[in-house]
Amino acid sequence: MASPDPVDQSHKRVLDTILLKFPGVEAGEMTGLLAYFVGKKMFACICNGGVGVRLSSAEAANLQFSKDNVVPFEPKGRRSTREWIQINHQDSADYEKDLEIFRSSVAFVRAAKG
């Protein structure tokens, strides 16, 4: 894996303190992305200077319309599924404000089949 850029490293430090407190959550990497897993399934990753998060398609769509810092997730320039969004913050510490989104993601992925 190539060395993550300073923004990604900053995001990782903050996300580690938030997400690794959740029961069953582990940090790792997938396809070159710094990622977070529950039950061996990825629910979040650091990419494109932001954080990709998996949610139900309805919740993902709602967040894209209600928050100006949430966009469709396009890892490495490729469109992802409707279940993935990207949350962008200039200041990594602002991801602490998204705690409920991360909790919802963990619950969604934990309950997902496959």
Side-chain angles (χ1 to χ4, degrees):
M1 179 172 140
S3 287
D5 66 36
V7 169
D8 288 350
Q9 286 291 3
S10 177
H11 289 349
K12 179 169 175 30
R13 281 190 294 277
V14 169
L15 291 173
D16 280 356
T17 64
I18 297 168
L19 301 179
L20 296 179
K21 292 178 184 174
F22 293 0
V25 168
E26 298 177 350
E29 85 65 38
M30 180 178 271
T31 64
L33 300 174
L34 298 169
Y36 296 89
F37 302 85
V38 63
K40 302 197 188 287
K41 295 183 273 185
M42 185 169 68
F43 72 90
C45 64
I46 301 167
C47 185
N48 305 329
V51 177
V53 181
R54 185 176 174 205
L55 299 159
S56 71
S57 358
E59 189 172 357
N62 182 48
L63 287 169
Q64 287 181 62
F65 287 110
S66 64
K67 293 183 168 272
D68 61 355
N69 66 324
V70 175
V71 297
F73 183 54
E74 296 181 349
K76 301 177 183 175
R78 302 180 108 171
R79 182 91 170 136
S80 188
T81 69
R82 291 180 293 151
E83 292 181 342
W84 282 89
I85 57 164
Q86 180 169 317
I87 304 171
N88 296 312
H89 289 296
Q90 292 293 327
D91 183 350
S92 299
D94 286 341
Y95 285 105
E96 292 179 25
K97 298 174 187 174
D98 301 315
L99 186 60
E100 288 308 311
I101 295 170
F102 292 121
R103 276 197 181 116
S104 182
S105 177
V106 168
F108 175 73
V109 171
R110 187 173 273 142
K113 304 272 187 235

